[in-house]
């Protein structure tokens, strides 16, 4: 059974940094592309970033490009999202997700394409 667990969220001031982790169990992360998504109160869930299993290609939403970096450590079965220069509009619950046989990020733009989700970790950016 696929299980994803996010951690690393918390309260940070604007301009600060956080590193989120997505730990996988029940499957080997090597063969899966993993996406990061976020959802603010009253907002639709949106794609933030994705990293493929096939070639390690990375993708970022325009709103976070240049500030966030996604990476993976297959030996630890973990994907990370380094978030720098955080803004109040980054405040949201952040989720990692994948789907059956998702080896690249072709479908990450739509959260509805994912069928395995973590429970999320809350990031609050505020003074």
């Amino acid at each position: 059974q696929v299980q994803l667990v996010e951690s690393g969220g918390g309260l940070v001031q604007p301009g600060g940094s956080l590193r989120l982790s997505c730990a996988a169990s029940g499957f080997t992360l090597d063969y899966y592309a993993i996406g990061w998504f976020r959802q603010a109160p009253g907002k639709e869930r949106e794609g933030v970033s994705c990293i493929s299993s096939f070639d390690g290609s990375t993708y970022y939403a325009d709103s976070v490009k240049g500030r966030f970096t996604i990476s993976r450590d297959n030996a630890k079965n973990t994907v990370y999202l380094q978030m720098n220069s955080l803004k109040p509009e980054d405040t949201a619950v952040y989720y990692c997700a994948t789907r059956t046989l998702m080896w690249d990020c072709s479908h990450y733009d739509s959260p509805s394409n994912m069928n395995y989700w973590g429970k999320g970790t809350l990031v609050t950016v505020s003074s």
Side-chain angles (χ1 to χ4, degrees):
Q1 184 73 15
V2 173
Q3 185 173 1
L4 300 168
V5 179
E6 304 93 339
S7 63
L11 175 65
V12 64
Q13 295 184 25
S17 298
L18 286 172
R19 188 177 75 163
L20 306 183
S21 298
C22 174
S25 62
F27 70 106
T28 301
L29 196 60
D30 307 45
Y31 300 103
Y32 287 79
I34 301 293
W36 282 99
F37 301 81
R38 66 186 182 187
Q39 188 167 22
K43 300 270 190 171
E44 294 287 318
R45 192 169 297 186
E46 63 178 351
V48 175
S49 185
C50 184
I51 186 165
S52 73
S53 64
F54 181 69
D55 61 0
S57 298
T58 58
Y59 303 86
Y60 300 93
D62 288 342
S63 59
V64 307
K65 194 171 296 182
R67 299 188 297 119
F68 291 11
T69 303
I70 191 170
S71 62
R72 68 194 303 148
D73 186 340
N74 289 337
K76 296 181 178 179
N77 225 31
T78 301
V79 170
Y80 303 97
L81 185 68
Q82 178 67 46
M83 306 186 296
N84 298 327
S85 302
L86 284 162
K87 304 174 181 179
E89 52 262 44
D90 295 318
T91 296
V93 177
Y94 283 72
Y95 302 88
C96 60
T98 190
R99 77 170 189 177
T100 305
L101 301 179
M102 193 171 93
W103 56 271
D104 67 10
C105 295
S106 298
H107 309 291
Y108 104 97
D109 286 339
S110 178
S112 64
N113 288 326
M114 308 296 110
N115 60 358
Y116 298 112
W117 292 88
K119 293 183 178 180
T121 185
L122 177 63
V123 172
T124 303
V125 185
S126 176
S127 297

